[in-house]
Amino acid sequence: MKKSLLLFSSVLLLFSFFGPVKAQQGMKPFEHLGVGLEVGTLGAGLDFAVPVHSHLVVRAGFNILPFSYSDDYYINHDRQRLNDLINDTPEFKQILIDQGLGQYTNTDNLPHDIDLDGKLRMVNGKVVVDYYPFKTSSFHVIAGLYFGKNKIITLDGQVDPNTNKLLGLANSYFPDEEFDSSVTVEDYRIVADDNGNINANLKINSVKPYLGIGFGNSIPKKTGWFPL
């Protein structure tokens, strides 16, 4: 499963409180440095901010969002077609018995589920500009770029070895047929390889445009620690 997506965060409300809620007025370019932590839809991150104008602040930093999960998915087999071929072909049925697959001559006995392990690994750097249009308000518009790894989700699983062996024998004995194991995740059909492995990943663009709005000051007017 490979699909390229352009990741947009069109509207993101960021709330940070650094003392008095006012725009970055009265700050000279590069006079102050702000360091902050953030948590949002892109994960947890660290920000470094400097003013470049009384209305503009440039921020750079990174975000990390790790997540893992495991779930069972239904395995798609053409069980009925395979069962018909086994019952109509005694020679093939005997081959299965000789290969120690006698219990699967009734394909209802084939495993119906597979356990898939999923991992979400989003690591992004960013460079954004905060524009404060009003002198007495902390409201600001955010625009910039996020950049990072393009592979963000991976899925891995293993089809039951006996099932994979049976399907391989069926494909060899009936060359006009094409049996495989697959799972459907959302709208994507993922087919196992010849060894019964299911591997898939979701990719997005490495460079992602960002546009959002926020409230709060990236740089405090006083030196010290302030809650985010």
Side-chain angles (χ1 to χ4, degrees):
M1 173 181 67
K2 293 183 179 180
K3 188 174 181 62
S4 295
L5 302 174
L6 189 60
L7 181 63
F8 283 95
S9 295
S10 58
V11 177
L12 179 62
L13 298 180
L14 302 176
F15 294 93
S16 54
F17 301 93
F18 293 104
V21 181
K22 295 181 180 179
Q24 314 293 316
Q25 302 300 316
M27 288 189 180
K28 297 179 181 180
F30 305 103
E31 184 181 28
H32 296 275
L33 172 66
V35 180
L37 299 174
E38 68 174 24
V39 178
T41 56
L42 298 179
L46 185 64
D47 257 6
F48 298 90
V50 293
V52 296
H53 185 272
S54 59
H55 290 274
L56 294 176
V57 172
V58 173
R59 291 189 290 121
F62 63 89
N63 296 83
I64 300 175
L65 179 61
F67 180 74
S68 300
Y69 78 98
S70 181
D71 202 358
D72 289 333
Y73 287 85
Y74 181 78
I75 303 178
N76 303 310
H77 296 310
D78 192 350
R79 292 178 176 80
Q80 186 58 54
R81 175 59 178 163
L82 188 57
N83 206 54
D84 291 342
L85 289 173
I86 293 173
N87 290 329
D88 294 341
T89 315
E91 297 85 355
F92 179 64
K93 186 173 185 178
Q94 188 60 48
I95 290 175
L96 297 181
I97 295 173
D98 293 342
Q99 291 291 325
L101 301 174
Q103 63 174 319
Y104 296 130
T105 54
N106 181 351
T107 57
D108 287 340
N109 294 328
L110 290 174
H112 286 67
D113 297 314
I114 183 174
D115 185 57
L116 287 184
D117 296 320
K119 293 181 180 180
L120 170 65
R121 294 291 184 269
M122 291 182 64
V123 180
N124 287 288
K126 67 179 178 183
V127 177
V128 299
V129 175
D130 298 339
Y131 172 62
Y132 292 80
F134 310 114
K135 290 184 178 182
T136 59
S137 173
S138 68
F139 169 81
H140 54 280
V141 178
I142 311 163
L145 295 174
Y146 278 73
F147 48 88
K149 296 176 63 176
N150 63 346
K151 184 187 296 185
I152 62 171
I153 298 176
T154 59
L155 289 174
D156 297 287
Q158 174 71 50
V159 176
D160 174 71
N162 286 330
T163 300
N164 197 57
K165 181 179 179 181
L166 184 150
L167 297 179
L169 291 171
N171 286 326
S172 297
Y173 196 89
F174 305 103
D176 294 334
E177 302 288 340
E178 187 175 350
F179 295 103
D180 58 39
S181 298
S182 67
V183 297
T184 301
V185 180
E186 300 297 334
D187 295 328
Y188 300 100
R189 180 173 178 264
I190 309 170
V191 180
D193 62 19
D194 292 340
N195 296 318
N197 297 313
I198 289 182
N199 306 109
N201 59 74
L202 176 66
K203 293 184 176 180
I204 62 174
N205 290 345
S206 297
V207 179
K208 299 164 280 290
Y210 178 91
L211 182 64
I213 60 174
F215 293 88
N217 297 322
S218 301
I219 302 172
K221 291 184 178 296
K222 296 181 181 180
T223 302
W225 291 95
F226 298 86
L228 285 174

